[in-house]
Amino acid sequence: MDCNMITQLLKKFPSIANTVLEPAADHIEEYKKLLESKGFGSDVDFNWRQQTWDEYYKECKQVNQIKKFHFISAIHSLYYVEDLESTILDLINCLEEGGVLLMIAVSDDSGFWRLWKRFPMFADDLYRQINSGDIRRILDTHQIGYKAITQESRVDITCCYEDGNQDGVLLTDFLNHVVNLRECSSQSFVDEVLSYMRGEDCTVQNGDQLLFNNDWQAIIVTN
Ligand SMILES: C[S@@+](CC[C@H](N)C(=O)[O-])C[C@H]1O[C@@H](n2cnc3c(N)ncnc32)[C@H](O)[C@@H]1O
């Protein structure tokens, strides 16, 4: 996503200063590897920061230097912030005048959201189950204007129901945001999760395929 956005931005701007906030070292390495193949060269000046949003913003406040940006994206990452409301307001505070904030989260009408709501025990202190409706409500409360765009998306989860299919094991974990569901839970609980995943709240059947509803929403605020 980030690489694609840079490619698009470079069509419009000759050079970009890009601050990358990412707490996971291996994700930074993966991203750096991907960038090598893109050949952006000196057109993009990267500022790598291996830290969370909360760590970054606290640091900025401590030295009383809130850096302003023309464009900020938080794509499927707001699940991990300590406080959604204050984070959204702080992100807007980091926008230059006329700057744009892009936030993406699962739609409040998606199978993803219904699955998470059905199994709230998968959330923890580091990961909160939020949806695009939560973001919109916060913006409405603060009378901040925005544009919301829903993107339809389906994930073929047929492999989750094939015995011994390793992709299915990983996909089940990914959709539920857990590690080793099958190894760490009782068989009856795993069956309950798998049954709910393929049920009509989350999935439609299309011939032999089971298509999980992964609709997401982009919410765009212009300062
Ligand atoms: C679902 S991934 C999305 C990655 C990327 N935005 C994309 O669309 O491909 C969520 C990312 O947020 C990172 N993350 C987790 N906690 C975070 C935090 N508190 N602040 C910023 N990023 C965080 C994760 O390490 C992970 O790389």
Side-chain angles (χ1 to χ4, degrees):
M1 282 268 204
D2 295 75
C3 263
N4 290 340
M5 288 189 295
I6 290 173
T7 304
Q8 295 306 318
L9 288 170
L10 282 176
K11 288 181 185 166
K12 213 165 168 183
F13 304 100
S15 63
I16 300 169
N18 185 187
T19 298
V20 180
L21 261 190
E22 168 56 63
D26 52 336
H27 289 204
I28 290 184
E29 283 317 305
E30 288 286 324
Y31 186 30
K32 282 184 178 172
K33 254 190 256 162
L34 181 63
L35 286 167
E36 273 171 29
S37 67
K38 298 285 171 186
F40 293 134
S42 58
D43 292 346
V44 190
D45 181 18
F46 285 99
N47 174 13
W48 297 100
R49 308 199 60 135
Q50 192 195 332
Q51 58 191 163
T52 65
W53 160 257
D54 294 284
E55 288 164 352
Y56 168 80
Y57 199 66
K58 263 176 217 146
E59 218 176 275
C60 291
K61 278 198 299 195
Q62 263 163 16
V63 292
N64 205 16
Q65 277 180 0
I66 309 288
K67 191 170 175 300
K68 302 278 183 177
F69 296 88
H70 296 109
F71 176 62
I72 300 175
S73 67
I75 301 180
H76 289 300
S77 49
L78 290 172
Y79 315 112
Y80 308 98
V81 296
E82 283 170 24
D83 183 297
L84 182 63
E85 183 168 15
S86 63
T87 297
I88 291 175
L89 298 177
D90 292 341
L91 284 168
I92 293 171
N93 190 35
C94 289
L95 285 178
E96 289 276 10
E97 211 181 315
V100 174
L101 168 63
L102 167 69
M103 295 173 281
I104 291 181
V106 297
S107 156
D108 39 340
D109 197 25
S110 63
F112 242 127
W113 177 246
R114 284 188 279 270
L115 179 66
W116 292 354
K117 211 164 55 172
R118 176 75 176 72
F119 299 103
M121 64 290 265
F122 292 147
D124 58 30
D125 286 350
L126 295 177
Y127 152 70
R128 292 157 202 88
Q129 293 166 328
I130 59 118
N131 63 44
S132 60
D134 297 317
I135 298 174
R136 292 196 317 272
R137 271 185 293 281
I138 289 168
L139 294 171
D140 287 339
T141 303
H142 292 274
Q143 299 179 334
I144 297 167
Y146 58 87
K147 189 172 167 188
I149 300 166
T150 303
Q151 178 69 47
E152 274 195 13
S153 167
R154 300 287 175 269
V155 181
D156 185 350
I157 59 166
T158 318
C159 62
C160 299
Y161 300 89
E162 292 168 2
D163 273 348
N165 188 318
Q166 232 2 71
D167 286 344
V169 170
L170 292 173
L171 186 54
T172 306
D173 281 358
F174 176 78
L175 294 176
N176 288 287
H177 209 281
V178 292
V179 180
N180 291 333
L181 173 75
R182 283 171 166 87
E183 281 165 36
C184 304
S185 316
S186 67
Q187 188 57 48
S188 63
F189 183 66
V190 174
D191 290 346
E192 191 185 333
V193 172
L194 286 171
S195 160
Y196 190 73
M197 269 171 57
R198 70 184 297 164
E200 61 181 13
D201 279 358
C202 304
T203 294
V204 290
Q205 182 132 15
N206 181 22
D208 289 342
Q209 285 182 317
L210 291 168
L211 299 180
F212 184 85
N213 177 329
N214 172 44
D215 289 359
W216 49 266
Q217 214 170 43
I219 295 164
I220 299 154
V221 176
T222 304
N223 199 22

